[in-house]
Amino acid sequence: MPERLGEWNFVKILELGNYLMNHIQEKPLFSLGVSDNSVLVTAGCFDPKFKETESVYDQAMATFSVLDGVLAEAGLDKSNVMSASVWLPLRETCGNGPTIAADDAAEFNKAWNEYWGELAKPARDTVGVGFVFPEFLCEIKFIASHSKA
């Protein structure tokens, strides 16, 4: 057995990994989730009716519902979530350039706290972005474990 993982071995591991992966809600461009039966990684999910929803709070709650569906299809629930990545729009300007609006952050945090309730909240990063559609107010990605503490 080689001491270091060579390029050939790495490719073989990737090929084997493909057989162990479960693609959830596979779409033409991507899957909404991919699981290897130890970890589930979701795509960045959003409110499918985002053009009809005008608040960050409402879009966040709808997005959590989408993510709940992906988790359920993998046999998980929100108590399995270890990490969340959140994208909010850059809609205000400060001295150094565009920033997340304080009202948007407050609305998202309200939805976040309501969604998690009394559960321990996962690690989270929040990033401000320029979305392609101006009506797009929130995108969320989860990483969840198939094991529980």
Side-chain angles (χ1 to χ4, degrees), residues 10 13-14 21 26 33-34 52 57 61 81 83 98 105 122 124 136 138:
F10 182 70
I13 290 169
L14 287 177
M21 303 243 181
E26 194 169 349
V34 178
E52 303 165 20
Y57 173 84
M61 294 307 287
V81 176
S83 176
R124 175 180 131 187
F136 219 75
C138 173

Side-chain angles (χ1 to χ4, degrees), residues 119-139:
L119 287 174
K121 294 169 183 66
R124 175 180 131 187
D125 52 86
T126 304
V127 178
V129 297
F131 288 119
V132 172
F133 300 105
E135 305 92 349
F136 219 75
L137 303 177
C138 173
E139 186 173 350

Side-chain angles (χ1 to χ4, degrees), residues 22 24 40 68-77 80 145-146 148:
N22 178 26
I24 298 166
L40 167 71
D68 282 341
V70 176
L71 289 167
E73 196 166 327
L76 305 173
D77 61 45
N80 295 93
S145 172
H146 282 271
K148 290 195 179 197

Side-chain angles (χ1 to χ4, degrees), residues 8-133:
W8 184 88
N9 297 62
F10 182 70
V11 170
K12 284 296 180 192
I13 290 169
L14 287 177
E15 288 175 2
L16 290 172
N18 286 335
Y19 296 114
L20 303 174
M21 303 243 181
N22 178 26
H23 293 263
I24 298 166
Q25 297 185 33
E26 194 169 349
K27 306 292 183 192
L29 294 176
F30 58 90
S31 298
L32 286 188
V34 178
S35 172
D36 69 353
N37 293 321
S38 65
V39 174
L40 167 71
V41 178
T42 74
C45 294
F46 57 90
D47 176 2
K49 297 181 179 180
F50 69 92
K51 289 191 176 188
E52 303 165 20
T53 312
E54 297 183 9
S55 77
V56 171
Y57 173 84
D58 290 337
Q59 282 195 22
M61 294 307 287
T63 302
F64 286 133
S65 292
V66 171
L67 286 160
D68 282 341
V70 176
L71 289 167
E73 196 166 327
L76 305 173
D77 61 45
K78 62 186 170 185
S79 68
N80 295 93
V81 176
M82 301 182 299
S83 176
S85 294
V86 177
W87 295 272
L88 296 175
L90 296 169
R91 297 204 292 182
E92 284 189 1
T93 303
C94 69
N96 295 327
T99 187
I100 297 170
D103 289 346
D104 288 350
E107 281 190 40
F108 183 82
N109 285 334
K110 178 182 176 192
W112 175 265
N113 288 327
E114 187 175 313
Y115 177 73
W116 296 105
E118 296 300 315
L119 287 174
K121 294 169 183 66
R124 175 180 131 187
D125 52 86
T126 304
V127 178
V129 297
F131 288 119
V132 172
F133 300 105

